[in-house]
Every structure is written in structure tokens, then in C-alpha cells.
């Protein structure tokens, strides 16, 4: 119930809304996801491991956003997006949730340690997540996308 109240509040604030499905916008986020992952790999190859972490996370988040545009959902809150992934689409959100935590730690704090191996693992996790989500999006029919949208709309009625 706490999660639903959070989502309802975001809806009331205009940060979460139902929109028309858009394959064009979906595809732009798929491309953005691929670009972010490529950037993360370039940063890792150049031993800029701290900067590779946010790019790996954003590649995952952009793929998640692509799914939302396919389903007709617009969400401007990262935490809410991750919750919706699990609660509405029944997709394991542990890898993107973990990547978000790592991104926050590496972007906003200085008292951390990270190794090349940890970043390599994060990039592999991002590749796996993106591939799984892209496959899900690719198989998502218009009818099923509308069903998800309706189910989500019904859950936000307060």
C-alpha cells in the first residue's frame, strides 16, 4: 500500500502519467540505452571506472523508459520506475535497483572504493538487463501493452 500511495502522489504532482504509446519515442530510448552502454565501456577501457557506473545505470534506465513508452506510461521518478517494473510488469528489478544504488554512491559521494572487476560486473549486468528488457518489449503486443496500461490506471485510482 505504501508503494501505491507513493505512485498516487507522483501522479497528483504530474510526475507519473498515462500517455499514448509511442514506438518512435520507445526507439529513441533504445538507441539512448545502447549509446550509454557504449560510453560506459569506453570509460572502463580508459580506466575511468567511477564515471562508467552512472553510464551503465542510465543504459538500464533508458531501456526501462523505452518499455514505458511502449506501454503508454510516463514516469519522471527513477525509484517509481523501478517499482513499476516489478509490480506491474512482474520483472525482476534487482539488477537495476542495485545499479541505481551504485550510481548514487559514485556520483554523489567520495568515500567509496570500486574496482575494475566490480564495474565489469555492472556492465555485464546492464547488458543482461537490457537484453532481457529489449526482448520483453519486442514481444509486447499492442493489446497486451494496453492491458498493462489499464491495469496500472486502475491501481492508481484513489
Amino acid at each position: 500500500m505504501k508503494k501505491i500511495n507513493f505512485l498516487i502522489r507522483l501522479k497528483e504532482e504530474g510526475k507519473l502519467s498515462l500517455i499514448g504509446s509511442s514506438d518512435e519515442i520507445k526507439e529513441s530510448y533504445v538507441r539512448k540505452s545502447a549509446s550509454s552502454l557504449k560510453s560506459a565501456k569506453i570509460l572502463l577501457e580508459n580506466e575511468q571506472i567511477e564515471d562508467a557506473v552512472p553510464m551503465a545505470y542510465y543504459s538500464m534506465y533508458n531501456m526501462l523508459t523505452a518499455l514505458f513508452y511502449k506501454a503508454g506510461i510516463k514516469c519522471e521518478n527513477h525509484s517509481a520506475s523501478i517499482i513499476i517494473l516489478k509490480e506491474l510488469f512482474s520483472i525482476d528489478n534487482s539488477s537495476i535497483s542495485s545499479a541505481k544504488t551504485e550510481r548514487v554512491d559514485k556520483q554523489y559521494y567520495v568515500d567509496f572504493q570500486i574496482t575494475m572487476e566490480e564495474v565489469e560486473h555492472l556492465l555485464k549486468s546492464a547488458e543482461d538487463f537490457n537484453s532481457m528488457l529489449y526482448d520483453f518489449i519486442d514481444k509486447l503486443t499492442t493489446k497486451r501493452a494496453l492491458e498493462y496500461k489499464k491495469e496500472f490506471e486502475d491501481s492508481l485510482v484513489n
Side-chain angles (χ1 to χ4, degrees):
M1 188 55 114
K2 191 174 184 181
K3 292 176 186 175
I4 293 296
N5 290 338
F6 171 58
L7 298 177
I8 289 170
R9 190 177 81 241
L10 289 175
K11 180 184 169 203
E12 291 169 350
E13 293 171 1
K15 295 177 180 171
L16 176 60
S17 58
L18 298 174
I19 57 171
S21 176
S22 173
D23 281 333
E24 185 177 303
I25 296 174
K26 174 203 71 164
E27 283 303 320
S28 71
Y29 276 101
V30 168
R31 287 190 301 275
K32 198 171 177 135
S33 172
S35 176
S36 295
L37 189 58
K38 183 178 181 179
S39 295
K41 289 177 180 180
I42 291 168
L43 288 163
L44 178 65
E45 288 169 8
N46 289 281
E47 299 182 14
Q48 299 296 310
I49 60 176
E50 180 181 324
D51 295 324
V53 172
M55 295 310 297
Y57 166 73
Y58 279 109
S59 80
M60 298 167 87
Y61 183 74
N62 286 326
M63 191 61 75
L64 175 55
T65 303
L67 168 62
F68 283 10
Y69 274 95
K70 173 77 175 183
I73 298 169
K74 182 178 178 188
C75 184
E76 299 174 8
N77 182 287
H78 290 233
S79 296
S81 296
I82 293 168
I83 290 168
I84 294 165
L85 178 65
K86 182 177 181 183
E87 299 299 321
L88 179 63
F89 295 97
S90 300
I91 295 175
D92 179 17
N93 64 2
S94 59
S95 61
I96 190 171
S97 185
S98 175
K100 179 179 178 273
T101 300
E102 289 299 315
R103 176 196 64 94
V104 169
D105 288 349
K106 303 325 173 257
Q107 273 191 300
Y108 300 116
Y109 303 103
V110 294
D111 59 340
F112 63 84
Q113 297 212 337
I114 190 165
T115 65
M116 290 283 281
E117 292 77 23
E118 289 170 323
V119 177
E120 287 169 352
H121 176 74
L122 176 60
L123 290 180
K124 174 72 171 113
S125 179
E127 286 176 337
D128 292 347
F129 177 85
N130 291 347
S131 177
M132 176 272 304
L133 210 53
Y134 184 81
D135 187 53
F136 184 88
I137 293 166
D138 193 47
K139 292 177 181 173
L140 185 60
T141 64
T142 302
K143 179 180 184 237
R144 185 63 181 121
L146 288 170
E147 290 170 355
Y148 279 122
K149 185 176 178 179
K150 176 72 171 124
E151 184 180 331
F152 189 58
E153 181 178 36
D154 291 347
S155 73
L156 294 178
V157 174
N158 51 3

